[in-house]
């Protein structure tokens, strides 16, 4: 394999000074976790990984690391070596990029201005050496080439590369603080969790379980989802399993039937806020999407959201179902989400849920409930699962 080095690029938008340093060191940590045992190097504004005949596996593992924008396999030449070595590298990269010929150009750049040739001189010289070796099917086009070969002169060496493989983008997990995700067994909330991580949020999951009305299999489904999601965290994730049954029974007994879901969701939010506070998380993520079901109309969101003061972020609020499904399929949660196990909401679903619940009605009904006492009891019966080994210190 001709490539011994992989160049990693990250977005720098809006990053300056101290924040930039933290961003890069977090990204480096996450890369090291994704590539255990591999050498990761950091030089001015660049990250590199040494390859050992493992280009494809390495790229595959890095695809789940947020904050990386693109990678390129690179041939490294000596800074003070023969130009013919650079020409050989450029030829090899060109042939790899365009195996059947086409138009190309060489593009040089130097951050090391003490190099004897200027950038245009270097491109021209290398072009003059390589072009006679290529068949007629290769022609130079400096305006709109099929392939571009980059030659970068740096103090440490000369780097030649072609292909730019696009990566996940986003921000490194851990650079945007911490949140909790309300994770059901459905299609939407795993996608919300993924998007939260993509924006750099470190997440813990909360699942409301209605044992024995929902089975162990239903919980296993959520564990499997959390396991898939932990790939994107590049670390283990905590799953808080909340004993929700008693609260649901009380709501069924004491509240108006059409308000069952609204009241349940007010409790879910409150518990999520309690867990978040305890875990020092600052926001709650859900998979809600405006108008998708009765409990997700704007009137419902108004009546439910009032129960807590913590911000609730809804990454999917304006996604159509098909758009959510497409992401779920891409990130590997869809097939788990569609397994046919019951969910705590479907079991207690009223025949006619209120589409426009009124906040006053919720507050009135809660006067007859020991809200805080019920939450304390539920939390006392809850537990935490550690999904995948926690490798972070
Ligand atoms: P999903 O596909 O994520 O289950 P949904 O379309 O089925 O969403 P709802 O069941 O109304 O919608 O739930 C809305 C959101 O509330 C979910 O996206 C999730 O964030 C949260 N939620 C619902 N049920 C649970 C649960 N049992 N445990 C944790 N969170 C839940
Ligand atoms: Mg659901």
């Amino acid at each position: 394999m001709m490539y011994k080095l992989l160049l990693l690029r990250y977005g720098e938008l809006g990053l300056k000074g101290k924040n930039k340093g933290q961003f890069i060191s977090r990204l480096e940590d996450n890369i090291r976790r994704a590539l255990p045992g591999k050498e990761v190097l950091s030089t001015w504004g660049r990250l590199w990984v040494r390859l050992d005949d493992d280009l494809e596996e390495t790229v595959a593992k890095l695809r789940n690391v947020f904050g990386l924008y693109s990678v390129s396999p690179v041939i490294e030449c000596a800074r003070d070596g023969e130009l013919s070595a650079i020409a050989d590298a450029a030829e090899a990269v060109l042939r790899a990029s365009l195996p059947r010929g086409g138009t190309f150009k060489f593009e040089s750049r130097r951050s090391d201005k003490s190099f004897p040739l200027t950038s245009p001189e270097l491109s021209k010289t290398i072009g003059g050496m390589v072009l006679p070796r290529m068949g007629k099917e290769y022609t130079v086009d400096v305006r709109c080439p099929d392939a571009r070969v980059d030659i970068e002169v740096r103090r440490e060496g000369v780097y030649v590369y072609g292909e730019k493989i696009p990566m996940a983008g986003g921000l490194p997990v851990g650079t945007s603080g911490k949140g909790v995700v309300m994770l059901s067994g459905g299609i939407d909330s795993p996608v919300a969790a993924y998007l939260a991580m993509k924006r750099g949020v470190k997440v813990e999951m909360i699942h409301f379980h209605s044992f024995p009305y929902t089975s162990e299999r239903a919980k296993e489904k959520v564990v499997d989802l959390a396991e898939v999601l932990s790939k994107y965290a590049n670390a283990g994730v905590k799953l808080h399993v909340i004993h929700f049954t008693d609260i649901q029974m009380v709501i069924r007994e004491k509240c108006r039937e059409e308000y069952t879901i609204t009241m349940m969701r007010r409790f879910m939010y409150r518990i999520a806020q309690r867990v978040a506070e305890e875990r020092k998380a600052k926001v709650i993520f859900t998979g809600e999407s405006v108008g998708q079901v009765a409990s997700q109309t704007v009137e419902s969101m108004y009546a439910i959201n009032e129960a807590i003061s913590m911000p609730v972020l809804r990454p999917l609020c304006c996604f159509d179902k098909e758009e959510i499904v497409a992401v779920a399929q891409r990130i590997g949660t869809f097939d788990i989400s569609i397994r046919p196990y019951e969910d705590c909401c479907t079991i207690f679903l009223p025949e006619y849920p209120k589409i426009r619940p009124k906040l006053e009605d919720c507050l009135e009904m809660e006067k007859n409930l020991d809200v805080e006492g019920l939450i304390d009891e539920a939390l006392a019966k809850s537990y935490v699962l550690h999904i995948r080994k926690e490798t972070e210190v």
Side-chain angles (χ1 to χ4, degrees):
M1 189 61 194
M2 63 188 211
Y3 294 115
K4 300 267 179 278
L5 205 55
L6 191 66
L7 165 62
L8 320 181
R9 296 184 197 83
Y10 46 84
E12 288 184 51
L13 233 63
L15 285 169
K16 289 193 198 83
K18 217 173 113 202
N19 292 339
K20 185 169 166 175
Q22 282 171 1
F23 174 99
I24 295 166
S25 62
R26 173 66 68 169
L27 179 59
E28 261 186 79
D29 280 356
N30 293 354
I31 291 167
R32 290 211 167 85
R33 256 203 294 270
L35 303 174
K38 260 194 128 25
E39 195 184 352
V40 181
L41 314 157
S42 168
T43 60
W44 315 108
R46 287 287 166 81
L47 292 171
W48 309 85
V49 173
R50 288 235 174 263
L51 296 173
D52 184 18
D53 274 341
D54 55 357
L55 173 64
E56 253 124 68
E57 299 109 275
T58 305
V59 171
K61 286 176 188 162
L62 289 174
R63 279 197 197 281
N64 298 332
V65 178
F66 295 124
L68 283 179
Y69 278 68
S70 66
V71 300
S72 293
V74 170
I75 297 179
E76 187 177 18
C77 306
R79 153 75 175 71
D80 301 313
E82 298 288 329
L83 284 178
S84 66
I86 301 174
D88 290 347
E91 180 188 343
V93 170
L94 176 58
R95 289 190 190 278
S97 303
L98 289 177
R100 278 178 290 280
T103 59
F104 70 94
K105 80 166 178 181
F106 291 147
E107 174 109 5
S108 304
R109 228 166 319 137
R110 2 170 252 175
S111 58
D112 175 7
K113 304 288 180 204
S114 68
F115 192 74
L117 298 178
T118 65
S119 301
E121 283 167 0
L122 180 59
S123 298
K124 215 170 143 203
T125 308
I126 299 300
M129 293 166 85
V130 174
L131 197 56
R133 305 185 201 164
M134 310 302 291
K136 286 210 167 32
E137 62 280 21
Y138 290 89
T139 49
V140 174
D141 178 352
V142 292
R143 289 242 173 79
C144 191
D146 299 327
R148 195 176 98 180
V149 176
D150 283 276
I151 303 167
E152 211 176 309
V153 180
R154 300 169 69 91
R155 208 174 292 274
E156 323 79 88
V158 177
Y159 301 90
V160 183
Y161 55 88
E163 204 184 358
K164 225 182 210 183
I165 306 165
M167 302 303 278
L171 300 170
V173 174
T175 53
S176 299
K178 191 165 167 185
V180 295
V181 182
M182 289 168 57
L183 186 68
S184 71
I187 294 167
D188 306 333
S189 46
V191 174
Y194 167 85
L195 292 174
M197 289 187 274
K198 182 162 189 261
R199 291 310 298 167
V201 181
K202 181 174 160 66
V203 295
E204 294 192 13
M205 316 291 181
I206 302 181
H207 178 65
F208 298 91
H209 191 43
S210 311
F211 189 79
Y213 295 93
T214 52
S215 63
E216 277 301 303
R217 307 283 294 272
K219 193 186 77 199
E220 265 165 41
K221 187 178 164 182
V222 178
V223 169
D224 290 349
L225 286 170
E227 203 171 296
V228 172
L229 292 168
S230 75
K231 269 196 335 206
Y232 301 99
N234 303 124
V237 296
K238 292 193 175 71
L239 174 64
H240 301 262
V241 181
I242 310 294
H243 176 87
F244 203 50
T245 325
D246 299 343
I247 290 178
Q248 288 177 297
M249 300 310 260
V250 170
I251 289 172
R252 197 154 73 161
E253 196 187 306
K254 300 209 168 143
C255 299
R256 285 158 54 188
E257 200 208 339
E258 72 271 27
Y259 269 89
T260 314
I261 298 281
T262 315
M263 299 303 280
M264 263 169 40
R265 298 195 59 77
R266 284 174 63 85
F267 273 94
M268 282 185 177
Y269 272 27
R270 286 189 180 102
I271 292 174
Q273 173 166 289
R274 284 270 292 266
V275 173
E277 281 164 358
E278 197 193 300
R279 299 299 309 152
K280 299 198 162 38
K282 296 286 185 284
V283 289
I284 298 167
F285 286 88
T286 76
E288 290 161 300
S289 176
V290 175
Q292 199 187 74
V293 289
S295 62
Q296 296 174 24
T297 61
V298 290
E299 292 86 353
S300 281
M301 286 186 188
Y302 178 81
I304 294 165
N305 213 148
E306 189 272 348
I308 58 168
S309 54
M310 190 172 274
V312 178
L313 302 185
R314 302 174 177 89
L316 308 178
C317 69
C318 298
F319 278 45
D320 294 342
K321 196 72 185 187
E322 294 89 285
E323 295 170 317
I324 301 172
V325 165
V327 183
Q329 281 169 330
R330 185 164 56 78
I331 66 175
T333 54
F334 183 75
D335 291 338
I336 304 172
S337 292
I338 58 171
R339 281 189 217 154
Y341 295 112
E342 64 297 330
D343 172 81
C344 71
C345 292
T346 46
I347 279 184
F348 290 84
L349 199 67
E351 206 171 343
Y352 299 106
K354 194 99 177 138
I355 289 177
R356 296 189 180 82
K358 296 210 165 48
L359 178 59
E360 311 87 82
D361 292 345
C362 300
L363 298 175
E364 196 57 40
M365 281 181 268
E366 280 172 6
K367 281 185 189 157
N368 302 319
L369 306 176
D370 173 15
V371 172
E372 290 307 312
L374 285 167
I375 291 173
D376 289 337
E377 272 174 45
L379 285 172
K381 290 185 186 171
S382 301
Y383 55 94
V384 187
L385 296 176
H386 296 260
I387 310 296
R388 246 175 71 167
K389 209 170 123 43
E390 187 86 55
T391 45
E392 202 179 354
V393 275

